[in-house]
Amino acid sequence: MDRKNLEIPGNDWKSLKKYWKQDAIAAISVALVALPLSLAIAIAAGVPPISGLITSVIAGLIATFFRSATLTINGPAAGLIGVVIAAIISFDDGCGPIQAFRYACAAFIFSGLIQVIIGLLKYGRIANIFPTTVIHGILGSIGIIIVSKQLHVAMGTSSNADNTIGVLTDVFSEISNINPYIAFISGLGIILLLFHSKISYKVFHFIPAPVWVLAIAVPIVLVYQYLEVNQISVFGSVFEMPKNMLIEVPNNWQDGIVFPDFGLIGTLRFWLAVISITLLSSVITLAGAKAVDKLDPHKRKTNLNRDLMAMGFSTMASGAVGGLPIITVIVRSTVNVHNHAVTKWSNLYHGLLIMLFILLLTPIIQLFPKAALASVLIITGFKLASPKLFKEIYSQGLEQLVFLLSTIFITLYQDPLTGIIGGMGMTLLAHFFISRVSITDFIKLIFNSGTATKKIDENTYKLSVRGVANFISILKLSEHLEKIPERKTLRVDLSKTRLVDLTFQEKLMEFRKEYRRTGGRVQIIGLDRHISISSHRIALKSLIVPPPQKTNLRDQEIKSLCAFKKWTYNREEQIESSELYDFNFFDSRPLDLKLNIIGQQHPQFKNIYWEVFDVTFEEGAMLSKEVYTTTMQHIHFPFKIPAFIMEGEGFFDKFFDRVLAVYDRDINFENHPVFSNKYHLTGESSSKLKSFFTSELIIFFENQETYHIESNENSIIIFKSLKKAKINDIKKMVEFSELLTNLIHKNQQKKIK
C-alpha cells in the first residue's frame, strides 16, 4: 500500500467524530497511568495530592484546544519537581507550606504568561540553545532529588538535612529505623515495577505497571485495617502501623482548590522561581513534543510556538486553582502512541477520565498508601539519573561528563536555575579554552561569525558555518535552515569553524533526518582538520591545525592527473565511509571522513572498479589519541577472494610472531623464502590462501614495493604508509593495483575453467 496516498488524520472536529473510539480506548490506558503519577508527583513536590489530579484535568480540558501536537499528553511531570520544591522552600520563611504553595501558584501563573508571550513572538526555538548535556544534568539531579526524598517515604523514615546530599546520606543512617509496614508495600511496588516489562504475559501488560502497584497495595491496606494489626515486632523492635500512611484527598474536590497569593510579586526570589519554572518547563515541553513527533506513524509535525502557548494558557489556569505547571509528558505520551491514539482528542478524554476518577473514586483514592506511590517515584527518579545516562554521556566525551556532573552538583547544592546557569557557564568556559583564542575573538566567533547561505544552482545550496558553532549559535543556524526549500541538496560546510559542539551537531543531525523525509539531501563536510576526544559520531570537535592556504598544490596536481587519465575526481568530503569498517584495519580506528576521491573502472575489466582517496581516522583515545590522514586505494571485485591481511615484515615482526606470539601466525611459503621474509601474511584459512597465492602472484609481490594489503573477500584496500601520498606515489599505487588486479582476475578465470 502506498502510504503517500493514505489520509493523514487532522485535529479538527471531523477527526474527533471519526476516530473517537480509538482515541477514547487509548485515553483509558493513559488515565490509568496518569492517576497514580499525578498523585505521586504532587506529593513529591510537597503540595496537596489533589493538586496533581487538578493539573491533569486542566491539561486535558484546556491545553487540548490550544495546542497543535497530535499524540502528546499534557500534565504534571517529574521533571519539574525540583523547581517546584525550590520555589516552595524559598517562599516558606515561616508562613507554612500551604501559604508557600499559594505564592508558588502565583509564580506558575506568571510563568505561563511568559510562555504565551514567547509563543506569540515565535521564539519557541530559544529552548534549543540550552546544551543537551546541561539539560540531562538538570533532569539527572531532579532524579536524585526524587530518589533521595522518596526513599525515606518508602522506608518510613525522615531527614532534616538542608540539602539533597544530606537527605541521601541520611537514608543509610536511618536503615535501622525502617518501618516494616511501609517497607513491605514499597518493596513490593519496586519489585513489580522492575520486573513488569520482563513478564511476557499480555494480560499483565494490558494494565500499566503503576496500576498494578496500587492493585496490590490497596488490599494490603484493607487487610491491615480489617485485622486491626497495630503493632509488629521485628528483631526485637516494635513498630506501630503508621496513622498517616495513606494519602489525604478531600471528600469534596472543591476543598482541594488553592488560590494564588501575589504578595511576593515584588521580590527577587519570586521572579527567580518564575524564570526557573519557565526555562525548564519550556525546554521539556518542546523537547518532548519533538520526541513524540518521531513516534507518530503519520509523521505529523508540531507547531512548537503554538504548543508553548497552549502550555502557558493551561499553566495559568492550573496555577489559578492550585494546580502545578503543565508540560508535555513523555511516559504518558508513549502509552498514548502505543495504544493507537490517532488525534489530539485522546488528551481531552484522558482529562475527562481523571475528572470522573475524582468525582466517583475518591474513597478508593483515599486508600492509596504513600509508600506505593513512593515506589513509583523511586523508579521514575532512577530512570532520570540511571547509570546508563552517565555511561552514554561519557561515551560522548570526557568534557561532556564534566558538564553533566557540574550541573548535577550545582543543582543539588543550590537549585535548578543556578544549575542551568552554572552548567552553561562551565560549558562556555570549556569551549573558550578548547578554541584557543582571546576572549574578544571568542565572543566575536560566536555572535559575529559570518555564517552564510549561498545558492549554488537550482537544486543546490551551501551553508558555510564559521566561528564557534556551539549551543548559542543554534538560533542563527535555525534561521538559515528554515530558509532552505524542500527537496534540494544542502551542503553544510564546517571547515571554517573553530569548534563544533555536541548540541550544534545534534541540531544538524535532527534537521538532516527531517529534511531527508521531504526528499532533500544534506551533506556535512569540512571536518577533516578537526579532532574530538571521543569516538562518538557527534562528539565535540575542535580545529587542530590552521586552515590550509587557498591554493593547495597537491589538490591541483590530483585534479590535473585525473583530467589527464580521465579519472573521476571529487574533492568534497564524505562522512559516510561505512564500507571501510568491513576491514580489520578499521576495527579499532574510528573513521572521520574521506576526501580527494579518485575513481575509475579497470581499463580491461569493466566489472572491476577502484577508488583512491585520503581517509582520516583516529588511533588511541583521549590524551594518547593520534589523528592520521592516509591515502588508500579500495578495489571492488565482482567475485569472492580469500580474506587476508598482508604487510611488510621486519625483524621485530618475526620476533613477536615466533617468540611472543602477539600476531596471528604468519603463513609462510617454503618454496618462496623471499616472499615469506618480506611479508607477514595472515588469514582465517591457510589452505585457501596457499591456493590463492600462486607462484606467479608471489613472484609479482617479491619484485614490487611493499604495501599494506587487506581483503574482506569482496574487495581489497592498499596503502603505503600512514600519511598522504604524493602524486608520484598515487601513480605507482594505481599501476601496482592494475597489475595485481590482472593477476587476481587471471587466477579467477582459471578456477572457473
Side-chain angles (χ1 to χ4, degrees), residues 288-494:
K290 290 191 289 186
V292 177
D293 280 351
K294 295 175 183 178
L295 303 177
D296 185 357
H298 298 282
K299 303 304 177 188
R300 292 163 289 189
K301 291 192 68 174
T302 297
N303 182 324
L304 299 179
N305 289 306
R306 184 173 169 184
D307 258 45
L308 198 59
M309 291 172 57
M311 296 308 104
F313 282 128
S314 53
T315 295
M316 292 173 68
S318 180
V321 293
L324 294 167
I326 293 172
I327 64 173
T328 294
V329 281
I330 293 295
V331 174
R332 277 156 273 179
S333 298
T334 304
V335 172
N336 193 42
V337 174
H338 288 170
N339 283 278
H340 312 294
V342 180
T343 74
K344 71 176 184 180
W345 301 111
S346 59
N347 187 58
L348 172 67
Y349 299 143
H350 124 270
L352 289 171
L353 286 169
I354 295 294
M355 185 171 67
L356 287 176
F357 292 161
I358 296 173
L359 295 174
L360 304 178
L361 301 180
T362 294
I364 295 177
I365 294 173
Q366 291 170 339
L367 293 174
F368 291 173
K370 294 178 182 178
L373 298 176
S375 67
V376 174
L377 282 169
I378 288 170
I379 297 301
T380 301
F382 179 79
K383 289 179 179 179
L384 288 174
S386 68
K388 184 179 178 181
L389 168 68
F390 295 90
K391 183 179 179 181
E392 172 62 22
I393 295 298
Y394 177 69
S395 73
Q396 296 171 353
L398 180 61
E399 80 286 349
Q400 300 299 326
L401 184 62
V402 172
F403 303 156
L404 178 81
L405 294 176
S406 301
T407 306
I408 288 175
F409 283 121
I410 294 172
T411 304
L412 293 182
Y413 279 104
Q414 295 296 322
D415 55 76
L417 179 59
T418 308
I420 291 174
I421 295 171
M424 292 177 70
M426 181 69 70
T427 305
L428 270 179
L429 186 65
H431 289 178
F432 167 67
F433 285 117
I434 293 172
S435 298
R436 301 188 300 281
V437 295
S438 67
I439 294 178
T440 304
D441 288 341
F442 182 69
I443 294 173
K444 182 179 179 181
L445 289 172
I446 292 177
F447 296 102
N448 190 24
S449 62
T451 296
T453 304
K454 180 180 179 182
K455 184 176 181 180
I456 305 300
D457 54 45
E458 288 301 318
N459 294 309
T460 308
Y461 288 77
K462 183 177 181 179
L463 173 59
S464 298
V465 182
R466 300 171 184 269
V468 173
N470 65 0
F471 58 94
I472 297 176
S473 312
I474 286 179
L475 292 181
K476 198 70 175 177
L477 174 68
S478 298
E479 290 179 7
H480 285 283
L481 295 179
E482 288 171 2
K483 296 176 182 177
I484 306 299
E486 293 184 352
R487 302 181 184 278
K488 305 294 182 181
T489 295
L490 173 65
R491 294 175 185 165
V492 182
D493 185 1
L494 300 171

Side-chain angles (χ1 to χ4, degrees), residues 461-463 465 477 481 489-495 497 500 504-513 516 521-528 537-538 541 572-576 592-594:
Y461 288 77
K462 183 177 181 179
L463 173 59
V465 182
L477 174 68
L481 295 179
T489 295
L490 173 65
R491 294 175 185 165
V492 182
D493 185 1
L494 300 171
S495 61
T497 53
V500 188
F504 189 92
Q505 292 179 77
E506 271 190 340
K507 176 63 179 177
L508 268 182
M509 297 302 173
E510 178 185 317
F511 173 79
R512 182 167 72 171
K513 186 174 182 180
R516 282 176 175 173
R521 184 185 179 197
V522 179
Q523 297 174 337
I524 301 173
I525 60 175
L527 291 172
D528 55 315
R537 66 185 182 89
I538 59 171
K541 296 174 176 63
E572 298 289 344
E573 298 152 346
Q574 292 185 2
I575 303 286
E576 181 57 50
D592 285 339
L593 50 86
K594 297 192 306 185

Side-chain angles (χ1 to χ4, degrees), residues 429-656:
L429 186 65
H431 289 178
F432 167 67
F433 285 117
I434 293 172
S435 298
R436 301 188 300 281
V437 295
S438 67
I439 294 178
T440 304
D441 288 341
F442 182 69
I443 294 173
K444 182 179 179 181
L445 289 172
I446 292 177
F447 296 102
N448 190 24
S449 62
T451 296
T453 304
K454 180 180 179 182
K455 184 176 181 180
I456 305 300
D457 54 45
E458 288 301 318
N459 294 309
T460 308
Y461 288 77
K462 183 177 181 179
L463 173 59
S464 298
V465 182
R466 300 171 184 269
V468 173
N470 65 0
F471 58 94
I472 297 176
S473 312
I474 286 179
L475 292 181
K476 198 70 175 177
L477 174 68
S478 298
E479 290 179 7
H480 285 283
L481 295 179
E482 288 171 2
K483 296 176 182 177
I484 306 299
E486 293 184 352
R487 302 181 184 278
K488 305 294 182 181
T489 295
L490 173 65
R491 294 175 185 165
V492 182
D493 185 1
L494 300 171
S495 61
K496 299 297 176 62
T497 53
R498 193 79 186 180
L499 174 146
V500 188
D501 82 343
L502 180 140
T503 307
F504 189 92
Q505 292 179 77
E506 271 190 340
K507 176 63 179 177
L508 268 182
M509 297 302 173
E510 178 185 317
F511 173 79
R512 182 167 72 171
K513 186 174 182 180
E514 293 297 322
Y515 195 64
R516 282 176 175 173
R517 196 176 293 162
T518 68
R521 184 185 179 197
V522 179
Q523 297 174 337
I524 301 173
I525 60 175
L527 291 172
D528 55 315
R529 296 183 308 279
H530 293 68
I531 188 174
S532 58
I533 295 176
S534 166
S535 61
H536 195 277
R537 66 185 182 89
I538 59 171
L540 182 148
K541 296 174 176 63
S542 62
L543 191 68
I544 56 171
V545 296
Q549 298 179 355
K550 292 183 179 179
T551 302
N552 188 313
L553 181 60
R554 180 175 180 269
D555 290 353
Q556 290 182 0
E557 289 177 341
I558 292 175
K559 187 175 181 179
S560 299
L561 175 64
C562 292
F564 177 75
K565 293 283 190 178
K566 295 184 179 180
W567 296 338
T568 61
Y569 174 60
N570 182 6
R571 190 182 180 278
E572 298 289 344
E573 298 152 346
Q574 292 185 2
I575 303 286
E576 181 57 50
S577 306
S578 57
E579 76 280 357
L580 294 179
Y581 279 118
D582 293 334
F583 292 95
N584 181 270
F585 182 80
F586 290 105
D587 279 352
S588 58
R589 296 177 174 91
L591 283 160
D592 285 339
L593 50 86
K594 297 192 306 185
L595 72 160
N596 285 327
I597 302 167
I598 306 168
Q600 180 64 293
Q601 288 181 323
H602 190 278
Q604 296 182 33
F605 315 116
K606 301 302 181 184
N607 55 357
I608 297 176
Y609 66 96
W610 54 262
E611 289 180 331
V612 174
F613 45 80
D614 297 330
V615 58
T616 302
F617 58 88
E618 300 168 3
E619 209 172 70
M622 296 179 65
L623 297 177
S624 62
K625 182 169 67 175
E626 297 289 343
V627 177
Y628 297 96
T629 299
T630 300
T631 303
M632 187 175 290
Q633 185 168 17
H634 189 190
I635 307 172
H636 302 262
F637 296 110
F639 47 78
K640 286 189 176 294
I641 62 174
F644 66 85
I645 301 172
M646 191 174 82
E647 54 193 339
E649 184 175 37
F651 170 78
F652 288 104
D653 300 318
K654 295 177 183 178
F655 175 79
F656 283 115

Side-chain angles (χ1 to χ4, degrees), residues 583 602-605 608-610 633-639 641-642 644-647 675 679 681 689 692-712 715-719 731-749:
F583 292 95
H602 190 278
Q604 296 182 33
F605 315 116
I608 297 176
Y609 66 96
W610 54 262
Q633 185 168 17
H634 189 190
I635 307 172
H636 302 262
F637 296 110
F639 47 78
I641 62 174
F644 66 85
I645 301 172
M646 191 174 82
E647 54 193 339
F675 173 82
Y679 284 102
L681 175 65
L689 286 177
F692 176 77
F693 280 86
T694 62
S695 294
E696 187 177 14
L697 186 58
I698 289 174
I699 293 171
F700 165 76
F701 284 127
E702 289 177 346
N703 293 289
Q704 294 288 330
E705 289 190 50
T706 304
Y707 288 92
H708 177 106
I709 305 173
E710 186 173 332
S711 163
N712 66 0
S715 59
I716 63 174
I717 55 172
I718 302 171
F719 61 90
K731 291 179 183 178
K732 290 179 181 179
M733 183 188 294
V734 174
E735 291 170 0
F736 170 85
S737 68
E738 287 183 355
L739 293 172
L740 175 60
T741 302
N742 290 340
L743 289 173
I744 292 175
H745 187 272
K746 182 179 178 180
N747 291 343
Q748 184 69 19
Q749 293 301 311

Side-chain angles (χ1 to χ4, degrees), residues 127-128 135 139 280-294 304 328 330 510:
N128 290 326
I135 298 304
L139 294 177
L280 198 55
S281 60
S282 299
V283 169
I284 295 176
T285 288
L286 298 181
K290 290 191 289 186
V292 177
D293 280 351
K294 295 175 183 178
L304 299 179
T328 294
I330 293 295
E510 178 185 317

